[in-house]
Amino acid sequence: MHLFYADELNPQQALLGKEESHHATRVLRLAPGEEVLVTQGKGVIYKGVITQLSKTEARLDITGTFSEEKRQKYLHIAIGPTKSLDRFEFFLEKATEMGVDEITPLLSFHSERKVYKTDRGRKIIQAAAKQSLSNWLPQLNEPVNFNTILDSTSPQRCIAHCDASRKREDLLTSVSSYPNCLVLIGPEGDFSREEIEAAAAKGFAEVHLGTRRLRTETAGIAVVMAGKLY
Amino acid sequence: MHLFYADELNPQQALLGKEESHHATRVLRLAPGEEVLVTQGKGVIYKGVITQLSKTEARLDITGTFSEEKRQKYLHIAIGPTKSLDRFEFFLEKATEMGVDEITPLLSFHSERKVYKTDRGRKIIQAAAKQSLSNWLPQLNEPVNFNTILDSTSPQRCIAHCDASRKREDLLTSVSSYPNCLVLIGPEGDFSREEIEAAAAKGFAEVHLGTRRLRTETAGIAVVMAGKLY
């Protein structure tokens, strides 16, 4: 069954906006009377029947609950957008499939890419959440500067970096035990020494991701997988 | 330092072939006297100094060992090539970064793609292994049919599928404890019921990858990560 994101949703009815209605009519060629799934990405997926359908709007009667998921753990990844958009957006897709909660594009000293249009990212995230029948839609924030993220109030805050001369914990074996965690992942050139020291001074734990040299997007995928798949 | 794959390598000298020599001269603009890393992807990375260099051939004197890794675990993934080449090749790259040992494109009843040119894949794998300074170069086999892979003699053999009506073990929590394992991952439409039954009859363990509906390439990445990163 196909999953749609509703603009408005209550336990009786749902309203789909323009993009989802277009997808239902023009791509999937659905008709009134057909059963679909509908969610707002906040934990519950409902079953519904299409009652009205046009290119710009669709209405559904809710017939029951398909699935419900309570969040056990909250994982926020702040990650340098890679030079290649494809690589960054592949990260967005995979992180969504695996259940990340929040993503922030992080601009730092060695960033190869200084802007990211989050409209593009939100479409990718929504498509991935639909495809994987996820109850939760991750939040994609606007890009922020490195110094701004240091003021985050997450209970558990980590900075992943490649400087083996500094003492670091192994994040991949510990992240699944953190109920609410923010992880900073650097761009292609890693974080600068000054950035690592600034984060440490603000109380961030310094961490590594094992012995392999992982690309930025691979590091992000590894952290989400370790934190969410178990 | 840059890592090159040698056509010929002994503890004193190494010879680079045409592609690697071209990369050294034309892309990286290296010159005789410069120090590089060289391997054959069989566990040892050596340090070497370029002694002769042309567009088609390069010779190195080996000066020492950079790193050496013994294989603790062997992981072979046989996976349906996805309809989108990009997705399949992203899997090849990520699996290589994370240390997979062997990959077989697996053709089955629901395969969307019936051919895969392994020359392309080997280039991607070599580039990913170089980028991640991996001591080991994964082996990419020619595509095989489903029935052929069932005759594999791997000590631990698993088939991952999405049929929740059948009893399945959770592979992601167990794969890291298997010293030598083959995992079958289906194409977009999953394995057919007949294929699952045939594998079970041959002694394959039926497994799942958690509660999420993962795309083919994401399932492959998840297994390699769970098996190799810890």
Side-chain angles (χ1 to χ4, degrees), chain B residues 10-67:
Chain B
N10 65 49
Q12 284 79 45
Q13 292 193 307
L15 176 73
L16 307 188
K18 196 172 167 184
E19 291 202 7
E20 290 291 80
S21 301
H22 178 267
H23 191 228
T25 50
R26 294 297 159 122
V27 181
L28 300 171
R29 305 207 173 269
L30 300 179
E34 293 196 69
E35 199 173 32
V36 297
L37 301 176
V38 61
T39 187
Q40 284 193 307
K42 292 172 186 167
V44 188
I45 297 178
Y46 294 97
K47 288 186 282 191
V49 170
I50 300 171
T51 53
Q52 291 176 40
L53 186 64
S54 75
K55 272 184 298 182
T56 55
E57 199 183 276
R59 287 177 188 277
L60 284 74
D61 280 350
I62 302 300
T63 56
T65 301
F66 173 75
S67 67

Side-chain angles (χ1 to χ4, degrees), chain A residues 52-116:
Chain A
Q52 292 176 39
L53 185 63
S54 76
K55 269 186 299 183
T56 56
E57 199 181 276
R59 286 177 189 278
L60 285 74
D61 281 350
I62 301 300
T63 56
T65 301
F66 173 75
S67 67
E68 191 165 357
E69 187 194 336
K70 293 217 173 25
R71 287 261 119 151
Q72 306 292 332
K73 291 180 277 189
Y74 193 91
L75 179 60
H76 177 183
I77 306 280
I79 183 168
T82 52
K83 190 172 173 186
S84 150
L85 262 187
D86 276 359
R87 291 183 178 280
F88 185 67
E89 295 182 341
F90 200 92
F91 162 75
L92 294 180
E93 181 184 291
K94 295 304 159 224
T96 301
E97 277 184 75
M98 297 184 287
V100 75
D101 299 275
E102 187 175 348
I103 297 170
T104 302
L106 182 61
L107 308 180
S108 57
F109 185 75
H110 288 131
S111 289
E112 302 248 10
R113 174 177 293 280
K114 297 289 188 188
V115 287
Y116 181 69

Side-chain angles (χ1 to χ4, degrees), chain B residues 16-144:
Chain B
L16 307 188
K18 196 172 167 184
E19 291 202 7
E20 290 291 80
S21 301
H22 178 267
H23 191 228
T25 50
R26 294 297 159 122
V27 181
L28 300 171
R29 305 207 173 269
L30 300 179
E34 293 196 69
E35 199 173 32
V36 297
L37 301 176
V38 61
T39 187
Q40 284 193 307
K42 292 172 186 167
V44 188
I45 297 178
Y46 294 97
K47 288 186 282 191
V49 170
I50 300 171
T51 53
Q52 291 176 40
L53 186 64
S54 75
K55 272 184 298 182
T56 55
E57 199 183 276
R59 287 177 188 277
L60 284 74
D61 280 350
I62 302 300
T63 56
T65 301
F66 173 75
S67 67
E68 190 163 358
E69 187 194 335
K70 293 216 169 32
R71 289 260 118 153
Q72 306 291 332
K73 290 181 278 190
Y74 194 90
L75 180 59
H76 177 184
I77 306 280
I79 183 168
T82 53
K83 190 173 173 185
S84 150
L85 262 188
D86 276 359
R87 292 183 177 280
F88 185 66
E89 294 182 341
F90 200 92
F91 161 74
L92 295 180
E93 182 184 288
K94 295 305 158 223
T96 301
E97 277 184 75
M98 297 183 290
V100 75
D101 299 276
E102 186 173 350
I103 298 170
T104 301
L106 181 61
L107 308 179
S108 59
F109 185 74
H110 288 131
S111 289
E112 302 249 7
R113 173 178 294 280
K114 297 287 188 190
V115 287
Y116 180 69
K117 293 202 164 48
T118 47
D119 284 357
R120 281 179 63 111
R122 291 202 182 99
K123 282 183 190 161
I124 288 162
I125 285 172
Q126 182 164 316
K130 286 174 69 166
Q131 203 278 334
S132 61
L133 292 187
S134 173
N135 299 48
W136 291 91
L137 191 68
Q139 173 180 332
L140 176 63
N141 300 322
E142 293 301 319
V144 303

Side-chain angles (χ1 to χ4, degrees), chain B residues 148-163:
Chain B
T148 307
I149 204 86
L150 295 188
D151 294 327
S152 149
T153 55
S154 289
Q156 181 72 36
R157 303 179 303 164
C158 303
I159 179 168
H161 65 75
C162 304
D163 183 351

Side-chain angles (χ1 to χ4, degrees), chain A residues 91-150:
Chain A
F91 162 75
L92 294 180
E93 181 184 291
K94 295 304 159 224
T96 301
E97 277 184 75
M98 297 184 287
V100 75
D101 299 275
E102 187 175 348
I103 297 170
T104 302
L106 182 61
L107 308 180
S108 57
F109 185 75
H110 288 131
S111 289
E112 302 248 10
R113 174 177 293 280
K114 297 289 188 188
V115 287
Y116 181 69
K117 292 201 165 48
T118 49
D119 284 358
R120 280 179 65 112
R122 291 201 182 98
K123 282 183 190 161
I124 289 163
I125 284 173
Q126 183 164 313
K130 286 173 70 165
Q131 203 276 336
S132 61
L133 292 187
S134 172
N135 300 48
W136 291 93
L137 190 68
Q139 174 180 329
L140 176 63
N141 300 321
E142 293 300 318
V144 303
N145 287 316
F146 185 81
N147 286 332
T148 307
I149 203 86
L150 295 188

